[in-house]
Amino acid sequence: MTGRRVLIVEDEFFIADDLVQALQDLGAEVLGPAPTRQQALDLLAGEERIDFAVLDVNLQGEGVFPVADALNARGVPFVIATGYARSTLPPRFQNVPHWEKPFDPDTLVRALASLN
């Protein structure tokens, strides 16, 4: 993950912090974490390179799916990290890698590396 830029979209502080630490330990540069959909979309509106993303489905009561659509439009692979079952995801995201909470951040980070 050295030199890779990873966007974290997560509203639970401790989960986001664990992900940041796990990614940084592997040499990744972390964007965010963005705790709201709007903050994530603002980060995506910039020209910064993003190699991967981790998305929580529910951000303070708002769905993350507009962020997922923006990532798809940019060709950025992502994983969905959530406590919700895969069946609750819109059909267009059924094949996106899905990690159910609680999860081990180190395992999730290793999975990110296999996306590209």
Side-chain angles (χ1 to χ4, degrees):
M1 295 294 292
T2 300
R4 301 298 217 146
R5 301 186 81 201
V6 182
L7 172 64
I8 296 176
V9 182
E10 172 62 63
D11 63 347
E12 293 184 41
F13 173 80
F14 292 109
I15 292 173
D17 190 54
D18 286 348
L19 284 171
V20 168
Q21 189 61 52
L23 287 161
Q24 288 177 339
D25 286 350
L26 292 174
E29 179 182 343
V30 175
L31 301 173
T36 69
R37 180 171 67 192
Q38 189 57 54
Q39 286 177 328
L41 289 170
D42 289 346
L43 285 170
L44 286 170
E47 296 297 321
E48 294 188 73
R49 184 186 92 246
I50 300 172
D51 298 306
F52 306 106
V54 178
L55 307 180
D56 181 14
V57 168
N58 185 349
L59 301 168
Q60 301 176 10
E62 292 187 313
V64 76
F65 304 115
V67 177
D69 289 331
L71 289 165
N72 275 337
R74 286 181 67 168
V76 176
F78 59 91
V79 298
I80 294 175
T82 183
Y84 296 100
R86 182 182 297 274
S87 62
T88 64
L89 298 175
R92 68 187 183 277
F93 300 118
Q94 290 292 317
N95 293 323
V96 171
H98 177 258
W99 290 82
E100 289 189 30
K101 292 178 182 177
F103 56 82
D104 173 30
D106 294 320
T107 302
L108 180 59
V109 167
R110 285 192 298 276
L112 276 178
S114 70
L115 286 178
N116 205 1

